[in-house]
């Protein structure tokens, strides 16, 4: 959304700040050296592609206006912070909620962290192949190649 908004606006924005009430998400975002399972790894890669870890902030449940709706507050009681946003956003950035101090440490037994199997190290080889050549080698006839493409 940040990219789309920046693209559509006629004036430049200084910085974007993203908020989450999940400390584990902040751990994942700030842990670039960890290897996560595919689902989490793909989402973290998307987050890193569109933002920097420093742009992410934590908001606790008591200050989170999104919780008003998700906790089933009736529409008649939704005014105030849900419609206008939390009051702390109108104050100086130094008064915004602080993030937990230990965000760099992801618990090694966390379910989404890949575990090493055995004593051997992990090795990776990257082979650069020509995609056109791969297609030509994969299909047995020109007709099948045209149909596939």
């Amino acid at each position: 959304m940040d990219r789309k908004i920046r693209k559509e606006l006629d004036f430049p924005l200084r910085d974007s700040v993203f908020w989450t009430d999940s400390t584990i998400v902040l751990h994942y975002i700030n842990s670039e050296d960890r290897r996560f399972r595919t689902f989490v790894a793909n989402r973290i890669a998307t987050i890193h592609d569109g933002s920097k870890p420093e742009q992410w902030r934590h908001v606790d449940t008591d200050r989170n206006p999104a919780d008003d709706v998700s906790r089933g507050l009736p529409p008649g009681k939704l005014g105030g912070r849900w419609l206008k946003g939390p009051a702390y956003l109108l104050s100086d950035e130094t008064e915004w909620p602080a993030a937990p101090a230990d965000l760099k440490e992801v618990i090694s037994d966390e379910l989404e962290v890949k575990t090493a199997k055995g004593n051997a190290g992990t090795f990776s080889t990257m082979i650069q192949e020509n995609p056109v050549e791969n297609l030509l080698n994969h299909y047995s006839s020109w007709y099948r190649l045209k149909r596939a493409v």
Side-chain angles (χ1 to χ4, degrees):
M1 285 182 63
D2 184 56
R3 268 195 208 142
K4 286 184 181 195
I5 291 170
R6 286 177 177 277
K7 182 180 173 186
E8 295 297 324
L9 288 176
D10 292 331
F11 56 90
L13 295 175
R14 258 187 329 154
D15 291 319
S16 295
V17 176
F18 307 102
W19 295 89
T20 180
D21 61 352
S22 170
T23 53
I24 194 65
V25 168
L26 287 175
H27 282 280
Y28 291 163
I29 291 169
N30 284 289
S31 299
E32 296 177 31
D33 61 328
R34 293 288 184 164
R35 297 196 38 88
F36 298 104
R37 296 185 190 276
T38 305
F39 182 84
V40 170
N42 289 341
R43 274 131 194 92
I44 297 302
T46 301
I47 289 170
H48 284 164
D49 187 41
S51 65
K52 295 178 224 134
E54 306 85 55
Q55 291 177 280
W56 285 86
R57 304 282 183 102
H58 180 260
V59 59
D60 56 68
T61 299
D62 296 334
R63 294 181 171 193
N64 186 0
D67 278 354
D68 296 346
V69 176
S70 65
R71 304 253 191 255
L73 200 63
K77 295 187 176 185
L78 273 182
R81 74 178 188 167
W82 193 75
L83 294 172
K84 297 177 186 174
Y88 62 83
L89 288 179
L90 298 175
S91 61
D92 189 64
E93 220 175 301
T94 57
E95 296 180 36
W96 288 1
D102 59 344
L103 286 179
K104 292 287 183 191
E105 287 298 315
V106 173
I107 304 163
S108 59
D109 63 347
E110 169 64 35
L111 291 176
E112 294 301 333
V113 175
K114 282 187 179 179
T115 56
K117 293 187 173 126
N119 294 333
T122 302
F123 299 95
S124 172
T125 304
M126 191 164 125
I127 301 171
Q128 297 216 351
E129 296 180 14
N130 183 341
V132 174
E133 191 174 315
N134 286 345
L135 282 173
L136 291 173
N137 290 332
H138 183 76
Y139 292 97
S140 60
S141 72
W142 178 249
Y143 174 75
R144 288 185 177 172
L145 172 64
K146 283 192 326 183
R147 193 173 65 192
V149 172

